[in-house]
Amino acid sequence: MRLQLVLIGVLAVCFGNADEDHGPAWLLASKTLHNQFVVEGKELVVEYIIFNVGESAATNVVLTEESFHPEDFELVRGMTKTKWDRIAPGANVSHTIILRPRVYGFFNMTAADVSYLSSEDASEPVHSYTSAPGEGGIMRYRDFDRKFSPHILDWAAFGMMTVPSLCIPFMLWFRSKSKYETIAQQSRKTN
Amino acid sequence: MDTTKMCKFIIVVSLALCTVVLAVAGETCQNPSVASQVYSTHEASVVVNTALVAEFTLKCSNGVKNLALYAEINGQFVPVTKNEDGTHYQVSWVGEHKQAPRGVYPVRVFDSDGYQQIKKAQRNEESSGAIKALFTLSIDHSGPYRGPWLQSEFIAATTAIIVWYCAYTAKSKLQS
C-alpha cells in the first residue's frame, strides 16, 4: 500500500514537470497609430499589441514607452510604463495611450521597449522592441482648420458682404414700386 | 504505532492545506475602493477608431496590492495592466466607430477567482453575466464628433439658389 502511494507520488512529480520540454516564450509587439491625421492639439491614439508566439508563458512583461517627450506630447490618458504578470502562449494583450501633440512638424515615431522573462526559471529578462510607425508629420492646427473646419464665421461674413449688392437694388425697386402703387391707387380713387 | 503515525501525518497534511487555503484567500481584495479616470474618443475627424480607456487605483481593506485583474469591456475579456508597483491599473479597448455607439459602457473588473469562473462558464457555453465582479466602472461615451450634420458650403449654396429663385419668379410675374 505504502509502495503504491510512493509510486503515484513519483509519477505525479514527473508529469508535473512536463512543461520543461516546451520552448521559451517569444513576444512580438506592434505599435500602431489609429489616426488619419496627426494634428497639433488634437487627440492621438497609440495602441500596442503584444503576441506570445512562443511555447511557454512570458512572465513579468514590462512595456516602456519613452519616445513621446512630455515637452512635445501631453499624455491625456494611459500609462507609458505598464506591466503584465503573465502572457500565456498563443495569447495576446493590448494597451492604449492617448496623447495630444503640443508642437507641429516632422516627427519620427520610434519603437517602445518590451522586456520579459521567457521561462519560469529565467533569471535575465529578454529585451525586445515593438514595431515603429516611422516618420510622419504633425499638422499645424491652422492648416487642418483651413482644410476641414466648417468655416461658419467665414460664410456669415460672406453673407453680410453680399447683402449690400443685393439689398440696395431691391430697396430702390421696392421704393419706386410702392410709390407707383400709391399713385395708381390715388388716381383710381379720384376716377 | 502505525495508527499514531498515520494520524500525525493526516494532521500535518490538513494543517498544510489550511495554511495554503488561508494564504490563497488572503490574495482576494476585501472591500475594494476605486478611484477612476476614464476617456473615450471625441474626434472622429482625425481618429479612425474609437478608444475606450479606464485608469484606476484600487485600495483594499486587507492591504492586498499587485493583483492580477481581468476586465470585461465592450464584450471582450482583457487582462488589466498595471504599473510597476501595482497601485495603478488600466483597461483599454480600441475598435471601429460603429462598434462603440454613444452610451454608457460598464466595465466589470474581476479578480483571478472570478476570471476562473468566467472561463468555466465559457467552456460550458453558459452566460457569464451572473458572475459577481469585484467592482464595475462606467465609461460615458458621448460619441465622436464627425463634423456638422450639413456642410456649411451646402447651406450657402442652397440659400443662394433660393434667393435667386425668389428673384426670378418675382421678375417673371412682373414682366408677364
Side-chain angles (χ1 to χ4, degrees), chain A residues 34 36 79 83 85 96 150, chain B residues 39 46 48-49 82 90 152:
Chain A
H34 285 277
Q36 198 175 11
M79 299 190 283
K83 183 176 88 163
D85 286 331
T96 310
Chain B
Y39 163 88
V46 289
V48 174
N49 292 326
K82 50 196 170 187
Q90 181 180 335
S152 58

Side-chain angles (χ1 to χ4, degrees), chain B residues 23-162:
Chain B
V24 166
E27 294 275 323
T28 322
C29 181
Q30 307 291 335
N31 301 328
S33 98
V34 178
S36 67
Q37 290 167 308
V38 299
Y39 163 88
S40 64
T41 299
H42 294 119
E43 308 256 2
S45 49
V46 289
V47 179
V48 174
N49 292 326
T50 296
L52 301 173
V53 177
E55 276 183 90
F56 59 93
T57 49
L58 176 63
K59 282 202 181 69
C60 305
S61 61
N62 55 345
V64 177
K65 274 190 198 172
N66 217 355
L67 290 163
L69 298 174
Y70 302 84
E72 183 195 7
I73 180 165
N74 208 11
Q76 278 181 10
F77 285 97
V78 294
V80 174
T81 80
K82 50 196 170 187
N83 65 350
E84 293 235 86
D85 35 345
T87 50
H88 210 86
Y89 300 83
Q90 181 180 335
V91 185
S92 42
W93 177 90
V94 177
E96 291 177 23
H97 291 310
K98 58 182 178 213
Q99 289 175 329
R102 185 192 290 202
V104 178
Y105 289 85
V107 178
R108 295 198 299 158
V109 180
F110 302 89
D111 55 6
S112 37
D113 290 336
Y115 188 58
Q116 295 299 326
Q117 289 175 22
I118 284 166
K119 285 212 286 193
K120 192 172 146 192
Q122 284 177 341
R123 270 200 300 268
N124 299 338
E125 289 177 17
E126 288 163 5
S127 153
S128 51
I131 296 169
K132 192 173 170 297
L134 198 57
F135 55 87
T136 305
L137 303 167
S138 287
I139 300 180
D140 189 2
H141 180 44
S142 54
Y145 174 69
R146 275 175 237 254
W149 285 337
L150 289 171
Q151 295 280 341
S152 58
E153 295 91 354
F154 175 76
I155 293 175
T158 322
T159 316
I161 290 171
I162 289 170

